[in-house]
Amino acid sequence: MGILPTSNKFPVLVVLNPHSGRKQGLEIWENTVKPALNAANKPFRLIESNSQGHVISYFVNNIKPILTDLAQSLSTTSGTTTDEETIVYPTTAKLQIIVLGGDGTVHEIVNGILKGVEGTSFVTDSFRPEVEFSVIPTGTGNAISTSLGVMNAQDAVDRFNAGKTVPLRLMSVTSQNSQLYTVVVNSYGLHCATVYDSEEFRHLGNDRFRQAAMKNVENLRQYEGKLSFYGPIQRYNRASSSLLYDSKEINTTESAATLTLPGPFTYLVITKQASLEPGFTPTPFAKTSDDWMDVLAVQNVGQAEIIQMFGSTATGTHVNQDHVEYIKAKAIELEAPTQGRLCIDGEFMTFGAGPEGKVRFEVTSDPNIQIFHIFA
């Protein structure tokens, strides 16, 4: 059985984070999104985030009954008499979620859903929901929306009503003690330090990242580490201005790396999004819907090179600079000689030193994980 639409009786889930970005989420909900849902006669269930971690906890605790209700709303009956009738659930169905918040809110929903169904039979070959996101850009960076070219809240609503979606592919991040999934960016070095320090400038909105970046460029550090790529890669070639495919068929679980960057790293991002905020496009070849991770790596450079790179990211021409490495990959491992910090979709993870502490990044092929789509 193919993908079925959401039942007319089943509500769209609306996740509102009133604290994200410039705190305009509630106003946009009341003036733009809610009227559009009412006009389309779409029932909704409003879930308002009241504290950090509330959204992920909500989905961990509630995704099972939500999926059960969704399946039942789309179920049919078989048999010739009432006594013989049995419930037939659809193989697949759509769960629609409108997000008024930033990329971090999407991250919490994704991880809440997957953690909530982990170890259960709720997502299997016999019933695999398709979770569809409509992201209303009310966060600070709005990387997902910006990468898809969504201009504003009304544009996002129009795309939701049009009904066209593309896959929102996840990256798995696995360390010695944990595994989680990311939808936007994993970073090490200057980018991670910038996001970490931007909290003290949150009142500035998007400008908080520029302020924190200036602070970290002024006190530029190098971050020890080794980045290893496994399996096929595409590496940007400045002479041909194109990505060249390395077709080495090396299994992603084998120990032999296709390529190793020795570091130290000044700047390192591993992402699925082309833009991380308006006017900042560090990975211009990235696609939300493909099975590659895009890596921008700058190793052991000074302030002049970093400033030069930042100055060209709006147009994507920074990939032609000698000190910039641009690679598309399937599986990556990061190892550092000392304990380090990663930025994971705006949150932070500490990883250990040496081989025992290495972190693996991968675009998983598990169909029970890759169930997310986004209106585009």
Side-chain angles (χ1 to χ4, degrees), residues 233-297:
I233 63 172
Q234 298 177 60
R235 193 172 189 180
Y236 185 78
N237 181 275
R238 286 183 287 274
S240 63
S241 298
S242 63
L243 289 161
L244 300 184
Y245 186 78
D246 188 329
S247 61
K248 294 176 184 176
E249 293 299 327
I250 298 176
N251 190 293
T252 58
T253 62
E254 292 182 357
S255 59
T258 307
L259 173 71
T260 298
L261 299 181
F265 295 96
T266 315
Y267 192 93
L268 174 63
V269 295
I270 302 170
T271 181
K272 287 292 299 150
Q273 309 300 328
S275 297
L276 297 185
E277 62 175 291
F280 181 50
T281 307
T283 44
F285 306 114
K287 293 183 179 180
T288 300
S289 58
D290 70 15
D291 292 325
W292 297 89
M293 296 175 290
D294 284 47
V295 179
L296 182 73

Side-chain angles (χ1 to χ4, degrees), residues 30-43:
E30 293 289 350
N31 295 335
T32 304
V33 182
K34 184 178 178 181
L37 291 175
N38 288 334
N41 293 317
K42 290 183 179 288

Side-chain angles (χ1 to χ4, degrees), residues 13-29 45-56 59 97-109 134-140 142 202 208 345 347:
L13 302 184
V14 179
V15 179
L16 169 63
N17 183 349
H19 308 292
S20 65
R22 296 185 182 274
K23 301 182 180 180
Q24 296 176 313
L26 183 58
E27 179 183 352
I28 291 172
W29 161 245
R45 182 189 306 168
L46 181 63
I47 304 156
E48 187 170 348
S49 174
N50 53 35
S51 62
Q52 186 174 8
H54 174 258
V55 171
I56 190 169
F59 281 94
I97 304 176
I98 294 178
V99 181
L100 290 103
D103 303 308
T105 306
V106 179
H107 172 91
E108 287 198 17
I109 297 171
S134 174
V135 182
I136 313 297
T138 61
T140 303
N142 300 310
R202 180 169 281 275
R208 69 188 177 108
D345 279 357
E347 301 296 328

Side-chain angles (χ1 to χ4, degrees), residues 103-108 110-111 133 143-144 168-171 181-186 271-273 288 344-345 372:
D103 303 308
T105 306
V106 179
H107 172 91
E108 287 198 17
V110 164
N111 282 277
F133 283 111
I144 299 173
L168 180 66
R169 306 297 277 176
L170 309 183
M171 297 172 284
Y181 298 92
T182 60
V183 294
V184 177
V185 64
N186 311 293
T271 181
K272 287 292 299 150
Q273 309 300 328
T288 300
I344 308 291
D345 279 357
F372 300 93

Side-chain angles (χ1 to χ4, degrees), residues 40-99:
N41 293 317
K42 290 183 179 288
F44 58 84
R45 182 189 306 168
L46 181 63
I47 304 156
E48 187 170 348
S49 174
N50 53 35
S51 62
Q52 186 174 8
H54 174 258
V55 171
I56 190 169
S57 296
Y58 177 88
F59 281 94
V60 168
N61 296 325
N62 291 281
I63 190 59
K64 293 178 189 176
I66 288 172
L67 292 180
T68 299
D69 290 347
L70 175 61
Q72 290 176 343
S73 73
L74 296 168
S75 65
T76 59
T77 58
S78 63
T80 57
T81 68
T82 303
D83 290 340
E84 294 174 345
E85 285 181 350
T86 57
I87 296 176
V88 179
Y89 292 126
T91 303
T92 50
K94 294 181 179 180
L95 173 64
Q96 295 180 337
I97 304 176
I98 294 178
V99 181

